Amino acid sequence: MFTGIIEHLGRISSVETVGGDRRMRFEAPGYLKGSGLGDSIAVNGVCLTATDFSDDHFHADLSGETCNLTTAGAWKAGQTVNLERALTPAKPLGGHLVSGHVDGIGKLISRHEEARSWRMLFEAPADLARYIARKGSICIDGISLTVNEVEGSRFGVNIIPHTLAHTTLGGLAAGDAVNLEVDQIARYLERLLAARNEA
């Protein structure tokens, strides 16, 4: 589990194909101390397992399914990524509960300045739109955000200067793809209501 509060900006230093899957090396100098082999690390919202480790970098294997269902299939060497280590009992839950299991790929429709912040409009896949609610939580590229407004499959968020400076959101342009993870409570609620209706 994760919180959606980005801890560090890392960089992809290599991408290679191994047996049909992909293996990537992520650089994060000074960030990985205290972490270890087999730890879960969210990279742009995708939960990955560290398969090779040092204080400054880790490797992860990405299956074909992960590459097909997330933006990881388009990741390239030199790209900056959002990093968060798994939640521990001592870690504050400053965002919301995030699994690191991406639900789908959305895209940025537009962005504009509003005072010192940026307003961003995203579009979600139609099958995910029903889980997105005004003032609810959404995870975009691993970042926990509050939904400001919803219209159909499009939703808006407000990005404060701190988030722009410490995540990859500041580098997004209209048309860019992003990983989306909807609020888990919405998914569980839908399942509970469906089960009650079936009964």
Side-chain angles (χ1 to χ4, degrees):
M1 299 297 293
F2 304 91
T3 68
I5 303 298
I6 302 306
E7 297 175 325
H8 193 80
L9 286 175
R11 185 178 62 84
I12 301 172
S13 58
S14 69
V15 178
E16 57 182 318
T17 301
V18 181
D21 293 335
R22 302 182 96 196
R23 179 172 170 81
M24 298 187 187
R25 176 177 166 131
F26 301 91
E27 305 291 335
Y31 170 63
L32 300 168
K33 291 180 181 178
S35 300
L37 193 65
D39 280 2
S40 294
I41 301 175
V43 180
N44 276 11
V46 182
C47 179
L48 299 178
T49 301
T51 57
D52 180 12
F53 215 93
S54 80
D55 285 348
D56 293 331
H57 79 272
F58 70 97
H59 283 89
D61 294 317
L62 289 79
S63 69
E65 180 166 358
T66 296
C67 290
N68 290 334
L69 299 179
T70 73
T71 60
W75 292 352
K76 296 178 173 58
Q79 180 176 339
T80 301
V81 290
N82 298 312
L83 299 178
E84 183 190 354
R85 287 176 289 192
L87 181 62
T88 65
K91 185 176 178 182
L93 183 56
H96 70 284
L97 288 176
V98 174
S99 69
H101 302 157
V102 173
D103 291 305
I105 297 175
K107 69 176 178 179
L108 178 63
I109 300 300
S110 64
R111 54 180 284 173
H112 68 273
E113 286 185 83
E114 186 174 276
R116 295 188 307 116
S117 300
W118 283 84
R119 299 283 286 202
M120 292 187 171
L121 180 67
F122 291 90
E123 185 168 57
D127 62 331
L128 292 183
R130 67 180 181 271
Y131 302 112
I132 302 172
R134 183 177 178 274
K135 299 307 175 186
S137 297
I138 186 78
C139 193
I140 300 176
D141 276 350
I143 306 159
S144 174
L145 297 167
T146 300
V147 177
N148 283 11
E149 66 271 340
V150 179
E151 185 173 346
S153 61
R154 293 187 174 187
F155 65 94
V157 294
N158 184 69
I159 312 299
I160 63 172
H162 177 86
T163 304
L164 281 172
H166 294 90
T167 72
T168 58
L169 285 180
L172 289 181
D176 284 350
V178 293
N179 292 316
L180 298 178
E181 182 182 332
V182 298
D183 189 5
Q184 293 184 40
I185 294 173
R187 281 198 173 279
Y188 286 126
L189 181 59
E190 180 186 54
R191 181 64 183 132
L192 287 169
L193 290 173
R196 187 174 70 176
N197 290 338
E198 290 169 6

